[in-house]
Amino acid sequence: MIQHTQSASQTAADISPEALSKIEAIIARYQDQPGALMPVLQEAQDLLGYLPVAVQERIAAGLNIPGSEVFGTMSFYSMYAWAPKGKYVIRMCESPPCHVNGSENILQVLKQELGIGVGETTTDGLFSLELTACLGVCEVAPAMQINEVVFGNLTRDKIKQVLNDYRAGKAVDYKQLPYTTNDFRKYKQSPQELVVLDNVGVIDPMKIDDYLAKGGYSALKKAVTSMTPEAVVEEVKTSGLRGRGGAGFPCGVKWSFTRPLTATPKYIVCNADEGEPGTIKDRYIMEGDPHKVLEGMAIAGFAVGASKGFIYVRGEYYLSKYRLQNAIDQAKAQGYLGDKLFGTDFSFDVEVRSGFGSYVCGEETALIESIEGHRGYPRAKPPFPGVAGLWHQPTVVNNVETLASVPAIINRGGDWYKTLGTENTTGTKIYQIIGHVKTPQIVEVPVGITLRELIDTYCGGLREGSTFKMCQTGGASAGLVTADALDVPMDLASLAQVGGALGSGTMLVMDQSVCVVDFMRSVAKFFAHESCGQCTPCREGTPRILETLTRICQGQGQERDLDFLERLAGTMVDASFCPLGQTAPGPLMSALKLFRPEFEEHLKEKKCRAGVCRFA
Amino acid sequence: MAHSTLNINGTTVKFTPGQTILEAARDAGIDIPTLCYLKGTTPTGSCRVCVVEVEGARTLLPACSTPAAAGMVVQTESERVVAARKMVIELLLASGNHNCFVYAAQRDQGFKVEDAIFCEAEGECQLQALAERYQVFPPSYANPPDTKYYYEDNNSMIVRDFSKCIMCGRCVRACCERQVNLAIDIGYRGSHNKIVARGDYPYIDSDCVFCGECVQACPVGALLDKAARFQGRPWERTKVRSTCPYCGVGCQIDLHIKNGRIVKVTGADEIPNEGRLCVKGRFGWGFVHHPDRLTTPLIKENGSFREASWEEALDLTARRLQEIKDQDGADKIGGWCSARVTNEENYLFQKFMRAVIGTNHVDHCARL
Amino acid sequence: MAGLAAAFGSGAMTNSIAELEDTDCILVIGSNTTENHPVIAARIKRAARLKHKTLIVIDPRRIDLVRHANLWVRQRPGTDIAVINGLMNVIIQENLQATDYVAARTEGFEALKDTVAKYTPEYVEQISGVPADQLRQVARLYAQAPAAAIVYTMGITQHTVGTDNVKSLANLAMLCGNVGIAGGGVNPLRGQNNVQGACDMGGLPNVFSGYQAVTDPAHRQKMAAAWGVGDLPDYVGMTMTDMLPAIPEGKLKALYIMGENPVISDPDADHAVAALKKLDFLVVQDIFLTETAQLADVVLPATTFAEKDGTFSNTERRVALIRRAVSAVGQSRPDWQIICDLSRRLGYDMDYANAEAIFNELRQVTPSYAGITYARLETEGGLQWPCPTTDHPGTMYLHKDKFARGLGQFFAIEHREPAELPDAEYPLTLTTGRVLYQYHTGTMSRRAVGLVEKAPECFVELAPEDASRYGIGEGERIKVRSRRGEITAKAQISKKAVPGTIFVPFHYGEAAANKLTIAAFDPVAKIPEYKVCAVQIEKG
């Protein structure tokens, strides 16, 4: 990264004329579309396995984008490659949920089995080994992805077997898999009715008729043919539905800002960039019931006056993208998407756009920049996307789970929805309980259930021999809670009171085997990897936190380190550009508050009570 | 235009709608420090040096990109602001080889000053000035001066020293917004962020057209005018305002002079160029001190030149012109003045041809 | 110059550089602005990219501005009049012209209308190769913009029809009411830092400073009185391009050249050298021993801009100071001092304390400069003429409310082919010009390390189609031959180039493009046709 990474001597000779003409065809297909850069780069990389200099330059010329911008954009996303890689790229997850499940050991195994280090390719050209931030499959941690396919619950034996299969030419085709990780219906289910996941595991997600048979698209029809847009907005307001992405902003209120604006066009963006470590719920919805998301988007479009939607799916969710595209094609063919729906003047089209390895793109303005084909740099707010978003047009950005809740609200009324959940946070919520429980899983229940219930009722309690130490609720940027919080209702307000956050509804449960300093190091590594680098506090601060914690874990901490960390964290919270930098030090600050003695033991006594840290 | 007011540091300050807090403050003579702010380009609010405390806001806000609003109450130097600002400066100092400070920090540890490359920006460096203003000391966790950063020195105009880059992005906006040359951008991510030209190439192999706008925009010593390296410290130079001698745009320039020689040229923030220059204006001044310059009059004898005194050359020229005028008539003499000399000289030349020689055969190369 | 002067009454750039950023539409024709006027190009690019204004580029070469443009029109070289007439045909056909403006402020419209009537888009497509629909699009964009600026340079003027090209642009601008308004105008960009000033100061055969005609007795009287001489010559003198052929004819015996290098810059360079050698006496005053100075009998060493005080007038009529920053090299002297020294020896006592004293004299006799003083330039920065009084702020754009000549004059102009077209023997078209990193004859720019590094040697730019037709590879040396001469340079294969046309920069003495060019001139402006002549190439 420090040296100039590409040399000007690389020439077009690297690529065949046939490949180049295919690249030209890709460019031609996107040439006149705004935001063409990301899809063109992705398709070109699909074709060649990487993006040689000549291809980058061809794309730059073809799309009339400066070469520096093409490379600047490309190099922001971790899934682009500009050097050749092995046929199979193994991406081992090192994020906190996998970390507490032993990913570092698994990485050693991989290195041994492959005989290569991280960033290297086996001599036979078969495998490349890489590290990756959260893959979004935390229920099967520790996990890795080989090209499009996820392998979870990794052990030495399983790795050996998988590698042997691949060596023997038995690569897995992700399109043939029923789901990426587990069958949702095998999980312990809530006795209450499901609102969002009702069809998941019941219908064939590749068949629109299955969805229609379950009453699919009836809410859209109802809205479009019998309601005014204002009435739809009102209904969603009445429901009290709050955003399920993490911030919990009331959905109807958001829509009501955009509805009256006269600027056109307006856009609906579905945020399916599920990147918050521990968060896996949207994948189940998109894989199991893709039409429901599309229907929610179309209703949102009708409500605010948008006729175009983008669903921005994180790059690693290949099966989700595949099934969504299939669903879009079918819905268009049958008139549920496209021009003049149900004989009215309302038209709505959806396009799938893929992220390509960037957590910050889950932040709505960074996501918008990414769709536009830029680096995922968050924008200053205001203006909010509702007023000036995609191409500076009014844009409603909603999470998958939020939009998937909408059809039921339209069909059955906001008042009905409101009866579910708590006064503060209505409706059902998909909780994800991962970490040191017997059976990590997701469950959709009315908001307000306690952490103890989630662990004991649905996940069979803690794993054998475990005692509860702490839980990180809501995702990597949220604070820690201790056993004191086990009986707190898991809604936005109550969790905030105890220093946690509902966030995406993920609960990373950790037992006594976890060293809080080591865990914080893993969290810090995640943020240092994912900081976009736009602002100083986050760009320079996240690696400083990592560096300092790493030293402490190695027994080389100094007394002044904790003061420095607190001072740094304070500035990051106060002066960072976007929520990533502002919240990144949150877990650390909460850990320093709750577990300060453990830090001090590391510093003064060179002692790790969990036995995780090794002091040289 | 309607004015509103906001309150900055207890003072009521007028602003025009659309102005940022920074602009309103500067108009009122209140100095909010900045690093990434670059006049005439989109403020990005990225360095966070200009953060201020706004009553009612959850976090500090960047003055450069936050619109002023009526009734806003702003503190620009509160304890909270200064704490954040100091940390930002500290992080930036730690981020690279800011060796003006490293000397002080490492002298005890056997660091030898002669091993260092002196920072060309010292005395002009805006980060150094901020550190001085906020009394930020070199952080103990600073990276030592080493060679892990790329030092690009393979062209004759611009040196890029990535060890001093603070990723303020001013060069990118200078290139893409002031000059619209679109030759550089920010590449990679997070702490690996780096300014990239084309596919991360050296300037010389990239789309860079060497206008040098990036060098002029760099607040630290990361982008250097190569010819000015080792040509005196900034404070030893005098600046003379002039007009560029190349094309017809008439860019206003500052000639930086040390010991009677030009050491560099920068664009002046005046009409018509507002700081901009092109490669010729900024890096094309070498002809002034070139050894090929004519230093004495020359007279051709037997087909070759010999040096002559002014007296001799002028006498000869005057005599010959007079002879031809007397023998053949003034209209057998022509004169070419020049699109590259001053108005005064062109005026005088045509006066000379018309009034002294007595001919209207006067022209210059306007057509070519 | 001549074209604009005839149409408007003044040959100068009508509007200002800064206005380009805030106009609604910019039409760039015959100007590779990013290479020749990079800082003006920055304004144009800012308008197009950042302020989303309409940019139309009309140029046979795919110049850099094309990537910022909404529309790029690629005409066959030498067909500008047809294209512009075509635009006007569409505008009149679709009734997009500024009818009131045309009626109130111009004359000659009916004749124009009659002439352009036959230049239908389809007819123009036959002549120029520009698709008819594209022509219509451009016409509408230009005509419907509230304010639209035309920018041009030598791509328009360096043709045998150069003056007519310029008049055509003036026609187009007046037709849409675009002259005399902010953000509009017809804007020639001057190639050299003080071309405008040299013209303003009477460095022309027909006028004193301030464009006061030498044929006008009142002007002669005024100048003679100011200069304290009895009388002044009353005939229009020869232009540079007239003077060279006059030498072998015996009509010119001596030449005093100050800061010019015609051996490189004039067309048909071999002829120019031969002519200069025939002079009885040649004195050259310059900062280097240029190719021209080497032919001189006496060479007088002058100083550079950095070693003297004075003023330059830029392309937008803005007068700005230069200041002495370093001492003169060796015995070199500022040009004005040398002129004074010579004058005294010829019996006329010229004596000025400094450059400012000269300026004070010239502003007395030059009405457009009368209000400009060194003191004002010091405090206010550059001032744009006309600036008649010391309390006048200077003039941002010309012809507001009234043209300099009263009414704007339309000229009905027919398309004419260039003087020398490709044929079987010389099948390619040669066009010449500048590159970003070099300047004029290279006297200054080829002595700057960085500029030489980026553009060390001459090249022949040709289209990939032509390269493969002749079997020429990138960087290979090729010979270019015209009926007048031959040069060798390396090939640069580029998509910029039009198939059938090659481009050679003229900066390089060792491969002087002007050995090839034709000494065919515009009959009015006497500008050589540098942009079109016929050549052949072969691998060298």
Side-chain angles (χ1 to χ4, degrees), chain B residues 269-326:
Chain B
D269 186 11
E270 275 197 43
I271 296 287
N273 49 317
E274 292 176 314
R276 299 178 190 92
L277 288 180
C278 78
V279 61
K280 294 186 286 286
R282 196 183 303 274
F283 299 115
W285 47 265
F287 70 91
V288 172
H289 303 297
H290 198 279
D292 289 353
R293 277 285 301 280
L294 289 167
T295 54
T296 65
L298 303 173
I299 290 174
K300 194 176 273 170
E301 278 177 358
N302 305 322
S304 61
F305 285 115
R306 68 165 172 84
E307 293 188 354
S309 72
W310 272 108
E311 288 306 306
E312 197 185 358
L314 289 166
D315 286 347
L316 173 64
T317 305
R319 198 184 73 232
R320 292 292 293 131
L321 289 175
Q322 190 68 52
E323 281 168 11
I324 291 166
K325 181 179 170 181
D326 294 343

Side-chain angles (χ1 to χ4, degrees), chain C residues 99-292:
Chain C
T99 310
D100 293 348
Y101 180 96
V102 169
R105 298 202 46 190
T106 68
E107 56 190 332
F109 175 63
E110 287 307 318
L112 174 84
K113 194 174 161 185
D114 290 347
T115 302
V116 302
K118 76 162 175 281
Y119 289 87
T120 61
E122 285 71 22
Y123 177 59
V124 172
E125 179 169 351
Q126 283 173 27
I127 301 174
S128 67
V130 176
D133 278 344
Q134 197 189 30
L135 202 72
R136 288 194 182 90
Q137 246 182 311
V138 172
R140 289 173 198 143
L141 280 174
Y142 177 80
Q144 288 171 346
I150 295 171
V151 171
Y152 72 90
T153 60
M154 297 304 188
I156 279 294
T157 55
Q158 288 178 346
H159 291 279
T160 46
V161 294
T163 299
D164 283 349
N165 277 343
V166 175
K167 284 178 179 167
S168 296
L169 291 175
N171 286 341
L172 175 62
M174 286 191 292
L175 184 65
C176 298
N178 271 324
V179 186
I181 60 167
V186 183
N187 301 290
L189 308 181
R190 303 296 183 194
Q192 299 178 62
N193 66 332
N194 206 28
V195 180
Q196 188 62 51
C199 294
D200 296 348
M201 291 300 108
L204 295 168
N206 58 337
V207 291
F208 298 109
S209 62
Y211 306 96
Q212 304 173 88
V214 295
T215 50
D216 182 333
H219 290 148
R220 280 204 308 279
Q221 252 169 24
K222 179 177 109 177
M223 299 309 284
W227 293 344
V229 292
D231 59 349
L232 289 165
D234 60 355
Y235 58 89
V236 172
M238 286 187 276
T239 63
M240 264 174 88
T241 43
D242 288 337
M243 283 190 243
L244 280 176
I247 299 168
E249 294 168 20
K251 291 182 190 157
L252 206 65
K253 303 272 188 192
L255 203 49
Y256 176 12
I257 299 180
M258 170 174 75
E260 292 280 352
N261 191 10
V263 167
I264 306 295
S265 64
D266 275 35
D268 197 356
D270 290 344
H271 261 93
V273 174
L276 291 173
K277 282 184 174 164
K278 289 209 172 75
L279 283 166
D280 286 359
F281 184 66
L282 174 62
V283 53
V284 173
Q285 181 170 314
D286 211 317
I287 56 174
F288 291 107
L289 193 63
T290 62
E291 291 82 352
T292 303

